[in-house]
């Protein structure tokens, strides 16, 4: 019926999933290396295809445009790096690698559809395909009490979030009579902003808020992040968040452009509350994963400001911010994983004196945290600059002031980590340098390069993001 | 040539990265690498200095870095004018001296490599700050300077006071920095530029007038107050003395604390455009100068005395700038950098030898530490402002500036501060170097690698003053040629100043050298009086009474206020942030259903607040 | 008329079963209440002439969800001690909030009734089949990946340690 | 009087609120998962009713997918409940508080 060619990247990824599954079934334990290689090759092929296939729509539900391509590239890059994070997952955690990779890739596949979906049913299935594997991966080491507990909490809250989103969809559907996002616009103009429509929109916002980890829908984040295996925490924080934002952009920009004043007002409030709560709650944390979880909540608070300033500038800043955030956060998690491998701990005390044991890791962590805090000339600063400038030019000056104050506040806990690394004395038994396997080294090099390059020379990505968004917003 | 100026800051940065990445393996070479890098920076800076002596016109070069829609653009660039080259030379020179000295001072320290990496990073940030051509870049390097000084102050992490001091320096300066940031943003908002030259032109052509100009100037001044440790944000500086002493010499005497003064000088037109702002700068500076000097009179810790002295001298510079004395402020910054760095390094040499900071546990050291003692005496004399030492010229310039501005009150205050300065610095000198040796500690002269920088700095402390007139024309050139140098050639001012210095010296001499008045035996007060009368020190006695019973009480009171009230307020804010964090953390109770409850409650609250305020909904409710 | 009576009877049944599900102290009863509720909803779907959907619902909910529920009860030892621990301390607050939510939703639905039906549509099984393989082929394919992933993951986690 | 879409929505809303009460109050993880299944049921009903009265096929298709996902959710839930049970020998949610703060 339509042009299947457009779906080629997704088909390749799905094919990779099946292949990994089959290879996992027939291979012996010493051939595990092939699983990782296969996944990497699959992801790389997907990325390449992504930029080969033409833009266009598949039916009414799927649209491969520039925005989708940009987001998919981010997600696939995250997927690639997280696969490298998990290179010897089975050895370190004693859990099967094949199923792990299948779940990880399925989750990635789900996000690809979130980035392209223009119809409620496909978006819903894509959302659940993103979430379920992540829930299962969070609980992937159920003998660890934290993992099982985090998984159950994640599942229940994700199910609730999805149910609320779904309920919102059903109310909107009852009012508009279509599941097609583009078709919603004329239908909703006809009905007007009835309480039913507004309530439906609100339920959708709550569901999106859950996925983006906005306060008060964020409560799952710290617990799931802490419980999950660290590589999965990294994926959750980067790809999971990207999925939430792209879903929000798709639904709201395509389906509810008329109600923009309603939802941007709500997002303004949520952004303010989210960044404050995330930053304050991060201050007393001593567990690195938890600290980064709250930090990611605060970051979500900043990013959602781009939705408040729902214009070319705002949206393109979101895309740039997500890219910068990917590098900084994955670099930080890379160091967390490296330290966890050697000391079996994610507590802050394991980082004491890291600068003396492993100066390179220490420097990467320093760069990553400073980038997250938005210190120039790193990627995080350029991202904050564009984002804040966009919100500022839309007239939300109070929000920008609050965000700047929050950035200053966030330095408090980032510096706490930096202090532990550079100033505090290591524990007596922790004198050996941290060994970093090759796969992890690759990730660290790539992400560090990204942090520096995006900060010093941001224009290519910025221009690309702007171009993509302009095309997306022009009907 | 200007296109190559970026090499000056990049060399120390490269050194920092190399030393940091080498880790423990680089311990041996760390000092040489960073000192070598800064040496080349110094050479290049001197080349610039020479070039600008010939042609002092400002030069600028810049590139676009971030460009958002509209006119929001961030540039990366360098602005080089006489002020810049002077600062370049001061920073690279003092940094080189300190690094050479540190090779001896830190020889035994475990974290040597880390130390040199930090100090190179600091030098890089300071040079970047000096070179920046726009206020956003200034602010970035400003923060980087703060960060690296935080790392250096807290360098001896095992001392809890050091860790706390680092934190405090960071938190306190943050208050000022916040003002600075807001000032920059306001400035950018109204002038549509962050470029220093354009801002200066705008201020001179009257685009920054009235409340706005004052407001911007004061906000920027807030940053300077924090960094330059002016009242009431001065409290971090004495605590910062917990760091290694060479660090104190570099950061807390010569360079970083001068950044505030530099900043005010950098955007001087913004200040001169507002009389109110100038008044505030002058009086904050003047008050800080005398306030800190009084406290310095009663301290026992050698580094604390020097710290309060630094605060006081920075106040002096601010006062000069506030009175319109651009040259006076910058020149004093320069001379102060030389003699205060020397004082700190000499103090470090003493501490290195006797392993204590308490001046009462020292004594008679001049015999065993000849070079240290002599160089410290030179620095003390320079600080006190005795002709022909450098301090004399720069201090006179400040007093003249006050006179030119017609602020007699500040002039008197300045002279009185000079008296106090002379008193406390000679008190320090006499107690440490003369009298009976307190021989619990061996005390020996430091190795050559440490005394060489001392002697080099001593020569500068002695000689810099003779170039005052040359510098004056040079420095003022950076303000534009149309500015006349006013001078009322008043002989009275230097005379009074000299008398004040003599008075201060005399009292210090009597109390701490001659021990004519025993400082410890209060019970012999009356026999003391008798002795005094017999020795015809009657005139002195009035002043002494003043010093002992009024001054010291006032000083002690102020010191108490300082530590308890001002300090407490700052600690309170940090405490509040932590409490907020802990409180919010408690919301995350761990129980699943509480999370669900928050979720649904959030939904209901949002729904109700949206629905009841929505006009379309209001319209259909009967 | 018959539809109306059917609607009201089935609605009452669904609501009662739902209440029983959330209030019953016996876990097994709660599972059975879910079965009854799904049958009632399936009946409601019949009143909407959505026979295929009603069958799917019965098949999946009774055949899969309820069975899984019984398994869960069995595996977590509640066959021996069917009495549940009483509900948590959120009982009062939860009741108030749920009531608030109920009134909010009812208000939203009732305050401005939806414009009258434009068309009354009935979908045949054949139409549904065609739609699933044409217009909705993407979610249809995707949900198979979802089921596969959920199944694999559930097995890995439920199996626990590697043998 | 006719049965309209609103009637079905009202039933959907009532079921939604009832299951929300269950989600708030059940201490047992299995019971909580059952309550969530009830929400999905309510949503499926809303969508089915939508198709009938609005003449768009999407609702019923959506309902089919919702029911399918509900089954998958039940399976995942069961796996997690078993994992929790293996760790602490019961599935009491109030005892599931290692992760907090």
């Amino acid at each position: 019926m339509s042009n299947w060619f457009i779906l080629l990247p997704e088909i390749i990824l799905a094919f990779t999933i099946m292949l990994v599954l089959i290879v996992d079934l027939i291979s012996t334990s010493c051939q595990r290396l092939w699983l990782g290689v296969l996944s990497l090759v699959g992801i790389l092929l997907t990325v390449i295809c992504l930029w080969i296939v033409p833009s266009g729509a598949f039916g009414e539900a799927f649209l491969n445009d520039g925005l989708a391509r940009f987001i998919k590239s981010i997600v696939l890059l995250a997927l690639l790096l997280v696969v490298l994070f998990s290179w010897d997952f089975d050895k370190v955690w004693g859990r099967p690698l094949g199923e792990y990779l299948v779940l990880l890739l399925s989750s990635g596949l789900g996000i690809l559809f979130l980035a392209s979906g223009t119809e409620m049913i496909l978006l819903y299935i894509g959302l659940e395909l993103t979430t379920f594997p992540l829930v299962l991966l969070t609980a992937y080491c159920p003998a660890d009490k934290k993992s099982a507990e985090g998984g159950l909490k994640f599942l229940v809250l994700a199910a609730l979030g999805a149910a609320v989103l779904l309920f919102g969809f059903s109310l909107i559907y009852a009012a508009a009579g279509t599941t097609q996002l583009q078709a919603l616009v004329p239908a909703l103009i006809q009905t007007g902003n009835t309480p039913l429509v507004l309530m439906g929109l609100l339920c959708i916002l709550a569901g999106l808020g859950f996925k983006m980890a906005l306060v008060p829908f964020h409560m799952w984040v710290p617990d799931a992040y802490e419980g999950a295996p660290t590589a999965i925490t990294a994926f959750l924080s980067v790809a999971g968040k990207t999925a939430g934002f792209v879903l929000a952009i798709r639904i709201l920009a395509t389906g509810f452009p008329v109600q923009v004043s309603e939802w941007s007002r709500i997002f303004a409030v949520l952004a303010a509350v989210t960044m404050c709560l995330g930053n304050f709650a991060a201050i007393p944390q001593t567990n690195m994963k938890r600290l980064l979880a709250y930090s990611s909540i605060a970051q979500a608070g900043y990013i959602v400001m781009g939705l408040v300033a729902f214009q070319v500038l705002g949206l393109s800043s979101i895309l740039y911010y997500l890219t910068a955030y990917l590098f900084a956060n994955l670099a930080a998690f890379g160091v967390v994983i490296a330290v966890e491998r050697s000391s079996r701990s994610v507590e802050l005390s394991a980082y004491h004196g890291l600068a003396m044991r492993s100066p390179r890791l220490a420097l990467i962590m320093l760069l990553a945290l400073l980038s997250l805090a938005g210190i120039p000339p790193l990627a995080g600063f350029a991202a904050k600059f564009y984002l804040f400038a966009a919100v500022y030019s839309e007239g939300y000056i109070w929000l920008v002031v609050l965000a700047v104050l929050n950035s200053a506040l966030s330095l408090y806990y980032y510096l706490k980590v930096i202090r532990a690394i550079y100033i505090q004395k290591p524990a007596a038994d922790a004198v050996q340098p941290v060994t970093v396997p090759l796969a992890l080294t690759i990730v660290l090099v790539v992400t560090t390069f990204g942090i520096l390059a995006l900060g010093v020379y941001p224009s290519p990505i910025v221009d690309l993001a702007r171009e993509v968004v302009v095309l997306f917003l022009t009907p | 040539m200007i296109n190559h100026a970026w090499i000056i800051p990049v060399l120390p940065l490269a050194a920092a990265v190399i030393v940091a990445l080498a880790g423990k393996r680089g311990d041996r070479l760390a000092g040489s690498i960073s000192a070598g890098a800064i040496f080349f920076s110094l050479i290049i800076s001197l080349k610039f200095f020479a070039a600008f002596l010939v042609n002092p016109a400002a030069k600028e070069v810049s590139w676009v870095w971030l460009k958002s829609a509209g006119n929001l653009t961030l540039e990366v660039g360098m602005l080089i004018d006489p002020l810049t080259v002077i600062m370049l030379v001061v920073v690279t020179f003092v940094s080189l001296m300190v690094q050479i000295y540190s090779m001896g001072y830190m020889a035994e320290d475990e974290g040597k490599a880390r130390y040199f990496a930090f100090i190179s990073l600091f030098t890089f940030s300071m040079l970047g700050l000096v070179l920046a051509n726009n206020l956003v870049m200034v602010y970035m390097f400003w923060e980087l300077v703060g960060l690296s000084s935080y790392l250096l102050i807290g360098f001896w992490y095992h001392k809890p006071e050091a860790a706390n001091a680092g934190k405090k320096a960071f938190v306190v300066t943050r208050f000022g920095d916040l003002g600075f940031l807001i000032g920059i943003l306001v400035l950018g908002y109204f002038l549509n530029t962050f470029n220093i030259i354009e801002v200066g032109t705008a201020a001179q052509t009257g685009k920054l007038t009235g409340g706005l100009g004052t407001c911007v100037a004061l906000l920027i001044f807030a940053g300077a107050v924090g960094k330059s440790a002016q009242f009431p944000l001065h409290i971090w500086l004495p605590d910062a003395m917990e760091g290694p002493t060479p660090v104190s010499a570099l950061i807390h005497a010569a360079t970083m604390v001068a950044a505030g003064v530099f900043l005010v000088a950098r955007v001087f037109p913004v200040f001169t455009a507002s009389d109110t702002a100038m008044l505030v700068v002058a009086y904050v500076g003047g008050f800080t100068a005398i306030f800190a000097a009084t406290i310095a009179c009663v301290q026992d810790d050698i580094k604390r005395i020097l710290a309060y002295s630094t605060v006081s001298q920075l106040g002096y510079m601010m006062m000069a700038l506030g009175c319109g004395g651009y040259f006076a402020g910058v020149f004093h910054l320069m001379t102060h950098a030389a003699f205060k760095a020397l004082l700190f390094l000499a103090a470090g040499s003493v501490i290195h030898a006797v392993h204590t900071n308490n001046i009462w546990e020292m004594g008679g050291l001049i015999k065993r530490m000849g070079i240290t003692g002599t160089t410290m005496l030179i620095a003390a004399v320079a600080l006190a402002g005795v002709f022909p030492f450098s301090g004399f010229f720069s201090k006179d310039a400040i007093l003249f500036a006050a006179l030119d501005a017609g602020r007699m009150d500040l002039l008197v205050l300045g002279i009185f501060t000079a008296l106090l300065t002379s008193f406390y610095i000679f008190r320090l000198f006499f107690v440490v170097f003369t009298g009976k040796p307190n021989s619990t500690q061996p005390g020996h002269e430091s190795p050559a690698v440490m005394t060489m920088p001392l002697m080099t700095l001593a020569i500068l402390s002695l000689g810099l003053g003779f170039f005052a007139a040359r510098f004056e024309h040079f420095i003022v050139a950076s303000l534009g040629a149309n500015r006349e140098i006013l001078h009322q050639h008043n002989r009275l001012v230097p005379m009074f100043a000299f008398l004040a210095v003599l008075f201060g010296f005399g009292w210090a001499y009597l109390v701490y050298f001659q021990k004519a008045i025993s400082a410890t035996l209060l019970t012999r007060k009356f026999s003391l009086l008798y002795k005094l009368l017999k020795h015809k020190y009657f005139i002195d006695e009035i002043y002494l009474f003043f010093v002992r019973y009024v001054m010291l009480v006032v000083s002690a009171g102020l010191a108490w206020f300082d530590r308890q009230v001002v300090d407490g307020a700052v600690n309170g804010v940090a405490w509040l942030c932590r409490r907020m964090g802990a409180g919010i953390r408690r919301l995350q109770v761990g129980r699943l259903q509480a999370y669900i409850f928050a979720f649904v409650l959030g939904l209901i609250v949002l729904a109700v607040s949206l629905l009841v305020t929505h006009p379309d909904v209001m319209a259909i409710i009967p | 008329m018959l539809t109306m009576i059917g609607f009201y009877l089935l609605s009452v049944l669904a609501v009662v079963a739902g209440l029983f599900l959330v209030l019953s102290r016996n876990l097994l009863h709660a599972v059975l209440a879910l079965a009854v509720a799904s049958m009632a909803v399936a009946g409601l779907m019949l009143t909407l002439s959505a026979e295929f959907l009603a069958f799917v619902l019965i098949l999946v909910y009774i055949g899969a969800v309820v069975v899984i529920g019984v398994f869960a009860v069995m595996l977590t030892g509640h066959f021996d001690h069917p009495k549940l621990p009483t509900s948590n301390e959120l009982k009062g607050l939860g009741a108030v909030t749920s009531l608030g939510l109920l009134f909010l939703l009812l208000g939203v639905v009732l305050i401005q009734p939806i414009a009258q039906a434009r068309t009354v549509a009935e979908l045949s099984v054949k139409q549904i089949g065609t739609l699933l393989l044409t217009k909705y082929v993407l979610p249809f394919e995707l949900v198979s990946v979802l089921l596969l992933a959920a199944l694999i993951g559930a097995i890995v986690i439920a199996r626990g340690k590697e043998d | 009087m006719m049965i309209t879409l609103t009637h079905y929505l009202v039933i959907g809303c009532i079921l939604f609120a009832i299951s929300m009460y269950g989600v708030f109050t059940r201490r047992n993880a299995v019971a909580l998962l059952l309550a969530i299944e009830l929400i999905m049921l309510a949503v499926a009903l809303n969508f089915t009713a939508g198709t009938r009265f609005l003449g768009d096929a999407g609702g019923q298709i959506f309902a089919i997918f919702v029911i399918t996902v509900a089954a998958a959710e039940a399976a995942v839930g069961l796996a997690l409940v078993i994992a929790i049970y293996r760790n602490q020998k019961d599935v009491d949610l109030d005892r599931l508080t290692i992760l907090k703060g």
Side-chain angles (χ1 to χ4, degrees), chain B residues 35 38 42 92-106 116 246 249-250 337-349 371-372 374-376 378-379 445-462:
Chain B
I38 197 69
L42 174 63
T92 48
F93 182 76
V94 177
S95 179
L96 179 64
M97 289 300 118
V98 165
Q99 297 206 15
I100 294 173
Y101 178 94
S102 300
M103 285 192 229
Y105 192 85
M106 304 295 286
F116 280 108
L250 176 63
F339 60 69
K340 189 53 72 60
L342 175 52
L343 279 173
F344 268 108
L345 292 184
S349 178
I371 301 175
T372 306
T374 316
T375 50
M376 192 156 193
I378 293 172
E445 186 55 273
S446 299
V449 72
M450 286 166 69
T451 49
M452 281 300 291
L454 293 184
M455 290 188 278
T456 318
L457 284 167
I459 294 169
L460 280 183
S461 307
L462 190 68

Side-chain angles (χ1 to χ4, degrees), chain C residues 4 7-8 11 14-15 18-19 21-24 27 30-31 34 37-38 41 44-45 47-50 52-53 56-57 60-61 65 68 72-73 75-78 84 86-91 94-95 97-98 101-102 105-106 109-110 113-114 116-123 128 131-132 136 139-140 143 146-147 150 154 157-160, chain D residues 1-11 13-28 30-31 34-42 44-45 48-61 63-76 78-83 85-86 89-92 94:
Chain C
M4 209 194 278
F7 172 79
Y8 282 115
S11 305
V15 171
L19 282 173
L21 191 157
V22 298
L23 293 174
S24 141
L27 197 46
V31 178
L34 181 63
S38 29
V41 172
L44 284 173
M45 285 176 173
T47 66
L48 290 164
S49 320
F52 178 67
L53 223 53
V56 170
L57 184 66
V60 176
Y61 259 73
V65 176
I68 287 175
V73 175
L75 289 172
T76 57
H78 283 283
L84 278 179
T86 43
S87 48
N88 59 22
E89 77 258 28
L90 273 173
K91 208 168 175 178
T97 314
S98 320
L101 191 67
L102 180 64
L105 290 175
L106 287 184
V109 170
L110 292 173
I114 297 154
Q116 266 309 307
R118 279 160 255 179
T119 18
V120 176
E122 288 174 26
L123 278 181
I128 290 179
L131 277 173
L132 277 180
Y136 297 102
F140 184 70
V143 89
L146 169 65
L147 285 174
I157 287 170
R159 198 173 49 189
Chain D
M1 192 189 141
M2 285 266 295
I3 304 283
T4 62
L5 179 52
T6 307
H7 286 80
Y8 286 94
L9 286 185
V10 166
I11 298 302
C13 292
I14 293 174
L15 286 179
F16 186 80
I18 289 174
S19 38
M20 211 49 98
Y21 176 75
V23 171
F24 283 146
T25 54
R26 304 313 298 254
R27 277 179 71 174
N28 185 296
V30 178
L34 290 178
I36 289 181
E37 297 298 320
L38 191 61
I39 302 184
M40 309 291 263
L41 210 56
L45 181 63
T48 316
T51 290
R52 166 77 175 178
F53 293 100
L54 301 170
D56 178 84
Q60 281 201 14
I61 306 285
I64 293 176
F65 284 114
V66 170
I67 293 166
T68 317
V69 171
E73 203 169 272
V76 174
L78 174 68
L80 285 169
V81 163
I82 290 173
Y85 183 73
R86 197 183 293 132
K89 298 296 161 224
D90 65 30
V91 285
D92 186 352
D94 281 5

Side-chain angles (χ1 to χ4, degrees), chain A residues 140-409:
Chain A
Y140 203 70
C141 310
D144 176 6
K145 284 186 173 175
K146 283 185 173 180
S147 180
E149 180 181 328
L152 187 72
K153 284 177 173 174
F154 189 9
L155 173 75
V156 170
L157 285 163
L160 189 78
V164 169
L165 181 79
L166 211 50
F167 198 77
F169 276 164
S170 76
L171 294 186
I172 294 290
Y173 180 68
T178 177
T179 59
Q180 191 68 36
L181 287 178
Q182 287 104 326
L184 276 185
V185 182
L188 288 183
I189 289 175
Q190 205 189 338
T191 54
N193 289 331
T194 60
L196 187 68
V197 171
L198 291 177
M199 189 65 204
L201 177 62
L202 220 95
C203 287
I204 292 174
L205 291 185
L208 295 175
F210 166 83
K211 201 69 196 142
M212 295 186 280
L214 303 182
V215 175
F217 314 114
H218 70 290
M219 304 287 259
W220 63 281
V221 172
D223 291 6
Y225 278 33
E226 192 185 341
T230 311
I232 296 308
T233 313
F235 189 72
L236 265 177
S237 73
V238 175
K241 192 142 291 173
T242 308
F245 279 97
V246 71
L247 186 64
I249 293 173
R250 279 280 175 219
I251 293 181
L252 297 174
T254 319
F256 300 91
V258 184
Q259 286 80 8
V260 63
S261 73
E262 280 81 15
W263 51 260
S264 67
R265 223 168 13 166
I266 288 176
F267 276 145
V269 175
L270 292 185
V273 180
T274 303
M275 58 179 102
C276 291
L277 187 135
N279 280 325
F280 272 118
I283 290 175
Q285 301 302 330
T286 55
N287 178 312
M288 273 306 283
K289 277 158 87 176
R290 240 182 146 70
L291 188 142
L292 286 172
Y294 279 111
S295 137
S296 88
I297 293 175
Q299 301 283 345
Y302 303 137
I303 304 176
V304 87
M305 293 196 324
L307 288 175
V308 176
F310 193 74
Q311 285 302 326
V312 174
L313 274 181
L315 286 191
S316 59
S317 323
I318 291 185
L319 297 188
Y320 188 77
Y321 203 107
L322 286 171
T323 319
Y325 177 70
L326 166 105
F327 287 117
N329 229 28
L330 285 188
F333 272 111
V335 178
V336 172
I337 287 174
V339 172
E340 192 183 13
R341 284 172 66 101
S342 79
S343 68
R344 281 274 163 222
S345 166
V346 287
E347 288 296 317
L348 200 57
S349 54
Y351 293 79
H352 284 188
L354 185 69
M356 271 173 271
R357 285 180 287 150
S358 309
R360 275 167 291 259
L361 278 184
L363 191 65
I364 291 171
M365 191 61 150
L366 175 78
L367 288 176
L369 293 180
L370 291 184
S371 178
L372 286 175
I375 300 291
L378 304 172
F381 171 76
K384 281 205 170 86
F385 171 80
Y386 287 116
L387 191 63
F388 292 1
V391 182
Y392 179 83
S393 64
E394 287 296 307
Y396 285 91
I397 294 170
W398 65 272
L399 201 54
V400 176
V401 171
L402 192 68
V404 170
L405 286 176
N406 262 289
S407 304
L409 180 64

Side-chain angles (χ1 to χ4, degrees), chain B residues 238-389:
Chain B
D239 283 8
M241 295 301 135
E242 296 296 343
T245 308
V247 167
S248 310
L250 176 63
I251 299 185
H252 308 122
T255 55
M256 183 182 90
V257 290
V261 179
F262 168 78
L263 179 68
V264 174
R266 198 50 148 173
V267 291
F268 205 51
V270 175
F271 283 90
T272 46
S274 159
D275 292 339
T276 321
M278 290 295 269
L279 214 64
V280 171
V281 174
Y283 280 98
V284 167
F287 178 71
T288 308
I290 192 157
F291 170 82
T294 46
I295 297 178
C297 294
V298 292
Q299 297 296 318
D300 300 326
D301 181 319
I302 185 168
K303 287 181 73 181
R304 275 187 182 273
I305 297 175
L306 294 179
Y308 278 109
S309 160
T310 306
V311 174
S312 162
Q313 294 297 307
L314 290 165
Y316 234 68
M317 299 175 208
M318 284 295 183
M319 184 176 101
L321 291 175
C323 293
Y326 185 82
F327 157 73
V330 174
F331 189 53
H332 195 59
L333 189 162
M334 208 172 150
T335 57
H336 175 256
F339 60 69
K340 189 53 72 60
L342 175 52
L343 279 173
F344 268 108
L345 292 184
S349 178
V350 170
I351 294 168
H352 198 61
V354 299
H355 300 288
T356 175
N357 279 11
N358 191 333
I359 53 172
W360 303 109
E361 292 170 20
M362 304 168 182
L365 285 174
I366 191 90
K367 283 162 208 144
R368 277 173 297 173
M369 307 181 69
I371 301 175
T372 306
T374 316
T375 50
M376 192 156 193
L377 181 62
I378 293 172
V381 176
L383 170 65
V386 177
F387 184 84
F389 291 79

Side-chain angles (χ1 to χ4, degrees), chain B residues 250-565:
Chain B
L250 176 63
I251 299 185
H252 308 122
T255 55
M256 183 182 90
V257 290
V261 179
F262 168 78
L263 179 68
V264 174
R266 198 50 148 173
V267 291
F268 205 51
V270 175
F271 283 90
T272 46
S274 159
D275 292 339
T276 321
M278 290 295 269
L279 214 64
V280 171
V281 174
Y283 280 98
V284 167
F287 178 71
T288 308
I290 192 157
F291 170 82
T294 46
I295 297 178
C297 294
V298 292
Q299 297 296 318
D300 300 326
D301 181 319
I302 185 168
K303 287 181 73 181
R304 275 187 182 273
I305 297 175
L306 294 179
Y308 278 109
S309 160
T310 306
V311 174
S312 162
Q313 294 297 307
L314 290 165
Y316 234 68
M317 299 175 208
M318 284 295 183
M319 184 176 101
L321 291 175
C323 293
Y326 185 82
F327 157 73
V330 174
F331 189 53
H332 195 59
L333 189 162
M334 208 172 150
T335 57
H336 175 256
F339 60 69
K340 189 53 72 60
L342 175 52
L343 279 173
F344 268 108
L345 292 184
S349 178
V350 170
I351 294 168
H352 198 61
V354 299
H355 300 288
T356 175
N357 279 11
N358 191 333
I359 53 172
W360 303 109
E361 292 170 20
M362 304 168 182
L365 285 174
I366 191 90
K367 283 162 208 144
R368 277 173 297 173
M369 307 181 69
I371 301 175
T372 306
T374 316
T375 50
M376 192 156 193
L377 181 62
I378 293 172
V381 176
L383 170 65
V386 177
F387 184 84
F389 291 79
S390 58
F392 169 79
F393 296 93
S394 51
K395 192 167 59 182
D396 268 11
I398 291 174
L399 296 178
F400 275 127
L403 190 65
D404 285 349
R407 302 222 180 284
M408 296 314 285
D409 45 352
L410 285 177
L411 181 65
V412 172
L413 195 143
I415 292 177
F416 190 60
T417 304
L419 188 154
L420 291 176
T421 308
S422 167
F423 171 73
Y424 68 67
I425 198 63
F426 286 111
R427 165 178 178 263
L428 170 69
F429 181 79
F430 289 135
V431 170
V432 173
F433 286 100
T434 64
K436 246 186 270 164
N438 196 335
S439 58
T440 49
Q441 291 290 347
H444 53 83
E445 186 55 273
S446 299
V449 72
M450 286 166 69
T451 49
M452 281 300 291
L454 293 184
M455 290 188 278
T456 318
L457 284 167
I459 294 169
L460 280 183
S461 307
L462 190 68
L464 265 182
F466 294 111
F467 301 98
R470 183 80 190 79
F471 278 127
E472 183 156 6
H473 293 284
F474 178 52
I475 293 172
V476 171
S478 61
L479 277 184
N482 55 352
R483 190 170 281 268
E484 274 296 311
I485 305 162
L486 288 173
H487 255 198
Q488 299 179 0
H489 282 284
N490 192 328
R491 293 282 161 88
L492 276 178
V493 171
M495 237 178 71
F496 271 118
F498 182 68
L499 276 180
V501 169
L502 213 60
F503 254 64
F505 172 79
W507 290 118
Y509 178 81
L510 280 179
V511 180
Y512 300 105
F513 185 73
Q514 281 242 323
K515 303 255 164 70
I517 308 125
S518 166
T520 45
L521 300 176
L522 281 168
T523 45
R524 286 202 214 149
K525 195 168 59 180
F526 293 105
S527 61
L528 206 86
L529 193 65
Y530 172 71
K531 205 169 156 191
L532 268 175
L533 285 169
K534 195 176 168 189
H535 289 275
K536 299 187 182 181
Y537 290 135
F538 186 71
I539 303 165
D540 302 341
E541 196 272 346
I542 298 167
Y543 180 51
L544 200 99
F545 176 83
F546 183 67
V547 168
R548 288 207 63 82
Y549 295 100
V550 183
M551 261 295 303
L552 293 194
V553 169
V554 170
S555 296
L558 282 176
W560 179 88
F561 174 79
D562 198 43
R563 299 217 60 77
Q564 302 301 320
V565 181

